[in-house]
Amino acid sequence: GKVGIGTTSPSASLHVAAGTTGNGLLLPVYTLAQVEASTPTVAGVMILCSNCAIPYSVCVGTAAAAKDQWQLGMATTATGCR
């Protein structure tokens, strides 16, 4: 199921995992091919890219429903998550 904080209808894009050890936020891990083939579901969604130029970089969706709208981390230019 989905869990929301401050909402009764959490986004379907949200996936959070927690355990008893190594607690933290677990982002979905994509390959570069998966990043290039995917479209952000909502602006601000984050994923990890396992084999991008910087392995395990955080990619942030900059626009929903638009291909090639992944940005590397919190960069200020839309250079793409490659």
Side-chain angles (χ1 to χ4, degrees), residues 2-82:
K2 301 291 179 191
V3 176
I5 299 171
T7 181
T8 57
S9 55
S11 171
S13 300
L14 178 65
H15 297 278
V16 178
T20 56
T21 61
N23 292 326
L25 176 64
L26 177 62
L27 297 175
V29 178
Y30 285 46
T31 63
L32 176 58
Q34 290 172 311
V35 170
E36 291 178 334
S38 67
T39 300
T41 51
V42 294
V45 67
M46 293 185 288
I47 60 173
L48 291 177
C49 180
S50 63
N51 65 337
C52 284
I54 303 170
Y56 290 94
S57 349
V58 174
C59 300
V60 179
T62 59
K67 282 228 181 239
D68 201 27
Q69 293 299 310
W70 293 104
Q71 185 172 322
L72 179 60
M74 297 299 176
T76 57
T77 58
T79 56
C81 196
R82 310 275 187 275

